[in-house]
PDB file of all heavy atoms in Angstrom:
ATOM      1  N   ILE A 238      88.707  79.815  65.945  1.00 90.00           N
ATOM      2  CA  ILE A 238      89.071  79.204  67.225  1.00 90.00           C
ATOM      3  C   ILE A 238      88.452  77.813  67.356  1.00 90.00           C
ATOM      4  O   ILE A 238      89.090  76.875  67.826  1.00 90.00           O
ATOM      5  CB  ILE A 238      88.666  80.109  68.410  1.00 90.00           C
ATOM      6  CG1 ILE A 238      89.345  81.468  68.301  1.00 90.00           C
ATOM      7  CG2 ILE A 238      88.988  79.450  69.744  1.00 90.00           C
ATOM      8  CD1 ILE A 238      90.853  81.421  68.197  1.00 90.00           C
ATOM      9  N   TRP A 305      98.909  79.057  74.406  1.00 93.00           N
ATOM     10  CA  TRP A 305      99.474  80.339  73.986  1.00 93.00           C
ATOM     11  C   TRP A 305     100.438  80.957  75.000  1.00 93.00           C
ATOM     12  O   TRP A 305     100.981  82.026  74.755  1.00 93.00           O
ATOM     13  CB  TRP A 305      98.357  81.315  73.656  1.00 93.00           C
ATOM     14  CG  TRP A 305      97.630  80.940  72.392  1.00 93.00           C
ATOM     15  CD1 TRP A 305      98.121  80.213  71.349  1.00 93.00           C
ATOM     16  CD2 TRP A 305      96.301  81.278  72.035  1.00 93.00           C
ATOM     17  NE1 TRP A 305      97.182  80.087  70.355  1.00 93.00           N
ATOM     18  CE2 TRP A 305      96.045  80.737  70.760  1.00 93.00           C
ATOM     19  CE3 TRP A 305      95.283  82.003  72.671  1.00 93.00           C
ATOM     20  CZ2 TRP A 305      94.828  80.888  70.110  1.00 93.00           C
ATOM     21  CZ3 TRP A 305      94.068  82.144  72.013  1.00 93.00           C
ATOM     22  CH2 TRP A 305      93.857  81.596  70.745  1.00 93.00           C
ATOM     23  N   LYS A 348      91.768  87.387  63.773  1.00 95.00           N
ATOM     24  CA  LYS A 348      90.896  86.718  64.753  1.00 95.00           C
ATOM     25  C   LYS A 348      91.719  85.969  65.794  1.00 95.00           C
ATOM     26  O   LYS A 348      91.393  85.986  66.984  1.00 95.00           O
ATOM     27  CB  LYS A 348      89.944  85.757  64.043  1.00 95.00           C
ATOM     28  CG  LYS A 348      88.857  86.463  63.277  1.00 95.00           C
ATOM     29  CD  LYS A 348      87.971  85.482  62.531  1.00 95.00           C
ATOM     30  CE  LYS A 348      86.966  86.240  61.688  1.00 95.00           C
ATOM     31  NZ  LYS A 348      86.122  85.347  60.887  1.00 95.00           N
ATOM     32  N   PHE A 349      92.785  85.321  65.344  1.00 96.00           N
ATOM     33  CA  PHE A 349      93.646  84.618  66.296  1.00 96.00           C
ATOM     34  C   PHE A 349      94.334  85.601  67.248  1.00 96.00           C
ATOM     35  O   PHE A 349      94.435  85.350  68.446  1.00 96.00           O
ATOM     36  CB  PHE A 349      94.691  83.760  65.575  1.00 96.00           C
ATOM     37  CG  PHE A 349      94.182  82.423  65.164  1.00 96.00           C
ATOM     38  CD1 PHE A 349      94.090  82.084  63.828  1.00 96.00           C
ATOM     39  CD2 PHE A 349      93.797  81.478  66.105  1.00 96.00           C
ATOM     40  CE1 PHE A 349      93.622  80.845  63.433  1.00 96.00           C
ATOM     41  CE2 PHE A 349      93.324  80.241  65.727  1.00 96.00           C
ATOM     42  CZ  PHE A 349      93.232  79.922  64.385  1.00 96.00           C
ATOM     43  N   LYS A 350      94.825  86.715  66.716  1.00 94.00           N
ATOM     44  CA  LYS A 350      95.476  87.722  67.576  1.00 94.00           C
ATOM     45  C   LYS A 350      94.498  88.252  68.616  1.00 94.00           C
ATOM     46  O   LYS A 350      94.844  88.395  69.791  1.00 94.00           O
ATOM     47  CB  LYS A 350      96.016  88.876  66.731  1.00 94.00           C
ATOM     48  CG  LYS A 350      97.286  88.563  65.979  1.00 94.00           C
ATOM     49  CD  LYS A 350      97.748  89.709  65.109  1.00 94.00           C
ATOM     50  CE  LYS A 350      97.995  90.964  65.897  1.00 94.00           C
ATOM     51  NZ  LYS A 350      98.487  92.081  65.081  1.00 94.00           N
ATOM     52  N   TYR A 351      93.272  88.537  68.179  1.00 95.00           N
ATOM     53  CA  TYR A 351      92.253  89.053  69.096  1.00 95.00           C
ATOM     54  C   TYR A 351      91.918  88.011  70.165  1.00 95.00           C
ATOM     55  O   TYR A 351      91.862  88.328  71.358  1.00 95.00           O
ATOM     56  CB  TYR A 351      90.995  89.439  68.310  1.00 95.00           C
ATOM     57  CG  TYR A 351      89.899  89.977  69.179  1.00 95.00           C
ATOM     58  CD1 TYR A 351      89.951  91.286  69.666  1.00 95.00           C
ATOM     59  CD2 TYR A 351      88.813  89.191  69.537  1.00 95.00           C
ATOM     60  CE1 TYR A 351      88.943  91.784  70.479  1.00 95.00           C
ATOM     61  CE2 TYR A 351      87.807  89.681  70.347  1.00 95.00           C
ATOM     62  CZ  TYR A 351      87.875  90.978  70.819  1.00 95.00           C
ATOM     63  OH  TYR A 351      86.885  91.460  71.626  1.00 95.00           O
ATOM     64  N   ALA A 352      91.719  86.764  69.761  1.00 95.00           N
ATOM     65  CA  ALA A 352      91.402  85.706  70.712  1.00 95.00           C
ATOM     66  C   ALA A 352      92.544  85.479  71.697  1.00 95.00           C
ATOM     67  O   ALA A 352      92.312  85.245  72.890  1.00 95.00           O
ATOM     68  CB  ALA A 352      91.084  84.411  69.964  1.00 95.00           C
ATOM     69  N   LEU A 353      93.768  85.570  71.219  1.00 95.00           N
ATOM     70  CA  LEU A 353      94.926  85.396  72.095  1.00 95.00           C
ATOM     71  C   LEU A 353      94.965  86.503  73.153  1.00 95.00           C
ATOM     72  O   LEU A 353      95.148  86.235  74.339  1.00 95.00           O
ATOM     73  CB  LEU A 353      96.202  85.397  71.256  1.00 95.00           C
ATOM     74  CG  LEU A 353      97.432  84.801  71.902  1.00 95.00           C
ATOM     75  CD1 LEU A 353      98.337  84.232  70.841  1.00 95.00           C
ATOM     76  CD2 LEU A 353      98.187  85.791  72.732  1.00 95.00           C
ATOM     77  N   ARG A 354      94.767  87.735  72.712  1.00 93.00           N
ATOM     78  CA  ARG A 354      94.744  88.853  73.680  1.00 93.00           C
ATOM     79  C   ARG A 354      93.603  88.695  74.674  1.00 93.00           C
ATOM     80  O   ARG A 354      93.770  88.913  75.877  1.00 93.00           O
ATOM     81  CB  ARG A 354      94.596  90.183  72.942  1.00 93.00           C
ATOM     82  CG  ARG A 354      95.845  90.655  72.286  1.00 93.00           C
ATOM     83  CD  ARG A 354      95.603  91.989  71.627  1.00 93.00           C
ATOM     84  NE  ARG A 354      96.807  92.541  71.068  1.00 93.00           N
ATOM     85  CZ  ARG A 354      96.856  93.202  69.931  1.00 93.00           C
ATOM     86  NH1 ARG A 354      95.765  93.402  69.224  1.00 93.00           N
ATOM     87  NH2 ARG A 354      98.000  93.677  69.492  1.00 93.00           N
ATOM     88  N   LEU A 355      92.436  88.329  74.180  1.00 93.00           N
ATOM     89  CA  LEU A 355      91.271  88.149  75.041  1.00 93.00           C
ATOM     90  C   LEU A 355      91.507  87.049  76.068  1.00 93.00           C
ATOM     91  O   LEU A 355      91.138  87.182  77.238  1.00 93.00           O
ATOM     92  CB  LEU A 355      90.050  87.830  74.184  1.00 93.00           C
ATOM     93  CG  LEU A 355      88.694  87.877  74.856  1.00 93.00           C
ATOM     94  CD1 LEU A 355      88.423  89.269  75.419  1.00 93.00           C
ATOM     95  CD2 LEU A 355      87.608  87.494  73.870  1.00 93.00           C
ATOM     96  N   THR A 356      92.149  85.965  75.654  1.00 93.00           N
ATOM     97  CA  THR A 356      92.476  84.867  76.562  1.00 93.00           C
ATOM     98  C   THR A 356      93.390  85.348  77.683  1.00 93.00           C
ATOM     99  O   THR A 356      93.187  85.022  78.855  1.00 93.00           O
ATOM    100  CB  THR A 356      93.142  83.710  75.788  1.00 93.00           C
ATOM    101  OG1 THR A 356      92.226  83.234  74.811  1.00 93.00           O
ATOM    102  CG2 THR A 356      93.557  82.582  76.702  1.00 93.00           C
ATOM    103  N   MET A 357      94.382  86.147  77.342  1.00 91.00           N
ATOM    104  CA  MET A 357      95.314  86.650  78.354  1.00 91.00           C
ATOM    105  C   MET A 357      94.651  87.661  79.288  1.00 91.00           C
ATOM    106  O   MET A 357      94.914  87.668  80.496  1.00 91.00           O
ATOM    107  CB  MET A 357      96.550  87.253  77.688  1.00 91.00           C
ATOM    108  CG  MET A 357      97.372  86.267  76.891  1.00 91.00           C
ATOM    109  SD  MET A 357      97.898  84.848  77.884  1.00 91.00           S
ATOM    110  CE  MET A 357      98.461  83.750  76.614  1.00 91.00           C
ATOM    111  N   VAL A 358      93.771  88.491  78.756  1.00 89.00           N
ATOM    112  CA  VAL A 358      93.042  89.447  79.606  1.00 89.00           C
ATOM    113  C   VAL A 358      92.132  88.688  80.565  1.00 89.00           C
ATOM    114  O   VAL A 358      92.044  89.018  81.750  1.00 89.00           O
ATOM    115  CB  VAL A 358      92.242  90.456  78.755  1.00 89.00           C
ATOM    116  CG1 VAL A 358      91.258  91.241  79.598  1.00 89.00           C
ATOM    117  CG2 VAL A 358      93.189  91.405  78.041  1.00 89.00           C
ATOM    118  N   TRP A 383     103.466  87.308  76.605  1.00 83.00           N
ATOM    119  CA  TRP A 383     102.841  86.495  75.558  1.00 83.00           C
ATOM    120  C   TRP A 383     101.982  87.301  74.587  1.00 83.00           C
ATOM    121  O   TRP A 383     101.516  86.757  73.592  1.00 83.00           O
ATOM    122  CB  TRP A 383     102.006  85.383  76.188  1.00 83.00           C
ATOM    123  CG  TRP A 383     102.821  84.543  77.110  1.00 83.00           C
ATOM    124  CD1 TRP A 383     102.708  84.477  78.469  1.00 83.00           C
ATOM    125  CD2 TRP A 383     103.901  83.676  76.760  1.00 83.00           C
ATOM    126  NE1 TRP A 383     103.653  83.623  78.973  1.00 83.00           N
ATOM    127  CE2 TRP A 383     104.401  83.113  77.942  1.00 83.00           C
ATOM    128  CE3 TRP A 383     104.501  83.332  75.555  1.00 83.00           C
ATOM    129  CZ2 TRP A 383     105.459  82.206  77.954  1.00 83.00           C
ATOM    130  CZ3 TRP A 383     105.553  82.433  75.568  1.00 83.00           C
ATOM    131  CH2 TRP A 383     106.022  81.882  76.753  1.00 83.00           C
ATOM    132  N   ILE A 384     101.754  88.602  74.863  1.00 84.00           N
ATOM    133  CA  ILE A 384     100.873  89.380  73.981  1.00 84.00           C
ATOM    134  C   ILE A 384     101.527  90.645  73.431  1.00 84.00           C
ATOM    135  O   ILE A 384     100.833  91.545  72.970  1.00 84.00           O
ATOM    136  CB  ILE A 384      99.536  89.742  74.678  1.00 84.00           C
ATOM    137  CG1 ILE A 384      99.770  90.500  75.984  1.00 84.00           C
ATOM    138  CG2 ILE A 384      98.688  88.513  74.887  1.00 84.00           C
ATOM    139  CD1 ILE A 384      98.518  91.014  76.636  1.00 84.00           C
ATOM    140  N   THR A 392     103.489  82.620  70.100  1.00 90.00           N
ATOM    141  CA  THR A 392     102.493  82.521  69.037  1.00 90.00           C
ATOM    142  C   THR A 392     102.081  83.905  68.582  1.00 90.00           C
ATOM    143  O   THR A 392     101.954  84.168  67.380  1.00 90.00           O
ATOM    144  CB  THR A 392     101.274  81.720  69.528  1.00 90.00           C
ATOM    145  OG1 THR A 392     101.702  80.416  69.932  1.00 90.00           O
ATOM    146  CG2 THR A 392     100.219  81.606  68.446  1.00 90.00           C
ATOM    147  N   PHE A 393     101.881  84.820  69.533  1.00 91.00           N
ATOM    148  CA  PHE A 393     101.464  86.176  69.179  1.00 91.00           C
ATOM    149  C   PHE A 393     102.496  86.859  68.283  1.00 91.00           C
ATOM    150  O   PHE A 393     102.146  87.484  67.277  1.00 91.00           O
ATOM    151  CB  PHE A 393     101.237  87.017  70.446  1.00 91.00           C
ATOM    152  CG  PHE A 393     100.684  88.377  70.163  1.00 91.00           C
ATOM    153  CD1 PHE A 393      99.340  88.554  69.904  1.00 91.00           C
ATOM    154  CD2 PHE A 393     101.506  89.488  70.147  1.00 91.00           C
ATOM    155  CE1 PHE A 393      98.820  89.811  69.634  1.00 91.00           C
ATOM    156  CE2 PHE A 393     101.004  90.745  69.872  1.00 91.00           C
ATOM    157  CZ  PHE A 393      99.659  90.911  69.620  1.00 91.00           C
ATOM    158  N   LEU A 396     102.225  85.395  64.853  1.00 92.00           N
ATOM    159  CA  LEU A 396     101.019  85.885  64.182  1.00 92.00           C
ATOM    160  C   LEU A 396     101.206  87.316  63.684  1.00 92.00           C
ATOM    161  O   LEU A 396     100.779  87.647  62.576  1.00 92.00           O
ATOM    162  CB  LEU A 396      99.813  85.806  65.119  1.00 92.00           C
ATOM    163  CG  LEU A 396      99.273  84.416  65.424  1.00 92.00           C
ATOM    164  CD1 LEU A 396      98.223  84.477  66.531  1.00 92.00           C
ATOM    165  CD2 LEU A 396      98.706  83.759  64.177  1.00 92.00           C
TER     166      LEU A 396
END
Side-chain angles (χ1 to χ4, degrees):
I238 301 304
W305 290 335
K348 287 177 185 177
F349 276 116
K350 284 177 59 178
Y351 180 77
L353 199 151
R354 284 182 175 142
L355 192 60
T356 299
M357 297 304 167
V358 167
W383 304 111
I384 56 174
T392 301
F393 185 80
L396 288 171

